[in-house]
Amino acid sequence: MVFKCSFRLKILHDHQSVKKMVVLQSLTVALNQKANVDRGILIEALTLTINFKVVFEVVTSGHSGYVAIDEVKVLGHPCTKTPHFLRLQSVEVNAGQFATFQCTANGGTDSSDRLWLQGIYVRDAPLKDIKVFNARRFVALFSVVNATKRDAGNYRCMIRTEGGVGVSNYAELIVKEPPVPIAPPQLSSVGATYLWIQLNANSINGDGPIIQREVEYRTSSGSWYDIQPVDSTSYKIGHLDPDTEYEISVLLTRPGEGGTGSPGPALKTRTKCAGEDGEPLGDLKQYARHSIILIVLQSI
């Protein structure tokens, strides 16, 4: 049994995973008369060191057979005129930031070439900037603007020139969500001018690791606000006003620009009145923000 067919074969370069298209025309497959072809011809492309090796396998129902190649034609432009990209590195950013891919290529380029960052199942990225170092080296910069989880995936550099098409390896865009506490902080103790809290920030929405913790607190009226870094699981907020309601939240930060998440759920609590439960009044300077100062008289 003899038949002729044409195949489009992908061969992978072992250093840059450059795909070259080879069209095999007039491929004559000669099989033993007793061989029954189940699935046709399975073509597998392998690479060894810097050479290409193509393996043809005939899938039969158990009878022996062989494949004979009558003619092979390689179609396309000489690769010497096409830029070759160096290995593209993966990029990790926090959500909402710009993800920049740097495509470095050996070869020349001009204004007539088309350069773009191609995504798989994600949007392509347009050219942001190009830096030409010499006639044989240039770097193209691409940015995925305001990256979200939907932009995460694989990207590769592409260039179309008069001499052919250059393609890089695939690199991954990893988009991380800044962490946000699930629960509000917990109140440990309260005084007229202080609040002891537990951060209660072990459970989060978003991604770690956590590299910084901060306590954000403000008056419920919105007239005053402050934020303080915290290096432990508990924290004393001091120098507060007596008999005042505060809203306290925790902020968490992961590595990278834009790694600080939104404030977590707020704890609403009120400080005690000055002198309540026999608490000493202390230094009157700390009440300077009040238009009215409460003075407690104690018998001697």
Side-chain angles (χ1 to χ4, degrees):
M1 179 176 63
V2 178
F3 62 93
K4 290 186 178 182
C5 57
S6 296
F7 295 91
R8 183 170 294 273
L9 176 65
K10 293 181 179 180
I11 300 180
L12 303 180
H13 190 291
D14 88 326
H15 288 305
Q16 297 181 0
S17 299
V18 177
K19 292 185 177 179
K20 297 184 177 180
M21 303 306 299
V22 178
V23 179
L24 290 93
Q25 295 180 334
S26 301
L27 173 62
T28 301
V29 180
L31 299 176
N32 189 302
Q33 291 277 345
K34 297 180 180 179
N36 296 319
V37 179
D38 294 333
R39 296 286 184 178
I41 307 302
L42 174 65
I43 301 178
E44 181 180 2
L46 302 176
T47 55
L48 297 177
T49 64
I50 61 173
N51 299 317
F52 297 109
K53 179 181 180 182
V54 182
V55 176
F56 297 88
E57 179 182 349
V58 179
V59 181
T60 72
S61 59
H63 299 284
S64 61
Y66 63 91
V67 177
I69 299 177
D70 179 72
E71 184 181 8
V72 175
K73 291 183 179 180
V74 180
L75 306 180
H77 299 278
C79 62
T80 55
K81 295 183 179 181
T82 304
H84 295 274
F85 289 103
L86 304 184
R87 183 165 184 81
L88 182 64
Q89 301 296 320
S90 295
V91 177
E92 179 179 305
V93 296
N94 292 308
Q97 302 302 306
F98 284 41
T100 300
F101 284 90
Q102 181 172 291
C103 299
T104 304
N106 289 331
T109 184
D110 56 42
S111 58
S112 64
D113 297 338
R114 184 193 172 198
L115 270 161
W116 76 101
L117 188 71
Q118 183 185 59
I120 300 182
Y121 308 120
V122 289
R123 55 177 170 165
D124 292 351
L127 178 66
K128 176 184 178 183
D129 190 20
I130 185 169
K131 299 177 181 178
V132 178
F133 293 97
N134 52 54
R136 296 296 301 164
R137 175 65 64 89
F138 67 90
V139 175
L141 300 176
F142 300 88
S143 288
V144 179
V145 181
N146 297 325
T148 67
K149 287 283 190 179
R150 299 180 63 180
D151 296 311
N154 292 323
Y155 293 81
R156 64 180 179 178
C157 308
M158 301 280 290
I159 183 170
R160 179 179 288 123
T161 70
E162 292 183 357
V165 176
V167 184
S168 76
N169 63 293
Y170 280 108
E172 185 179 6
L173 171 58
I174 304 168
V175 181
K176 298 290 188 178
E177 290 289 345
V180 178
I182 294 177
Q186 296 176 335
L187 184 65
S188 297
S189 63
V190 58
T193 60
Y194 70 88
L195 295 168
W196 269 104
I197 63 168
Q198 297 288 328
L199 268 59
N200 193 30
N202 291 330
S203 298
I204 65 170
N205 288 320
D207 298 297
I210 308 302
I211 61 172
Q212 181 175 299
R213 296 170 175 82
E214 295 173 295
V215 171
E216 175 188 274
Y217 52 101
R218 66 182 72 229
T219 56
S220 295
S221 63
S223 61
W224 185 75
Y225 163 88
D226 198 7
I227 185 170
Q228 294 292 330
V230 178
D231 57 4
S232 63
T233 58
S234 60
Y235 183 69
K236 180 183 180 181
I237 306 174
H239 307 288
L240 302 179
D241 296 336
D243 193 26
T244 302
E245 185 178 67
Y246 289 88
E247 297 180 5
I248 307 167
S249 301
V250 175
L251 289 90
L252 303 175
T253 301
R254 69 174 312 277
E257 184 177 355
T260 301
S262 303
L267 165 68
K268 289 187 178 182
T269 187
R270 179 178 293 272
T271 52
K272 292 182 177 182
C273 293
E276 186 178 343
D277 296 331
E279 180 179 335
L281 185 60
D283 189 355
L284 291 178
K285 291 181 179 179
Q286 62 185 318
Y287 303 108
R289 290 192 299 270
H290 284 268
S291 57
I292 299 176
I293 296 177
L294 175 65
I295 299 177
V296 178
L297 300 178
Q298 297 180 348
S299 60
I300 301 176

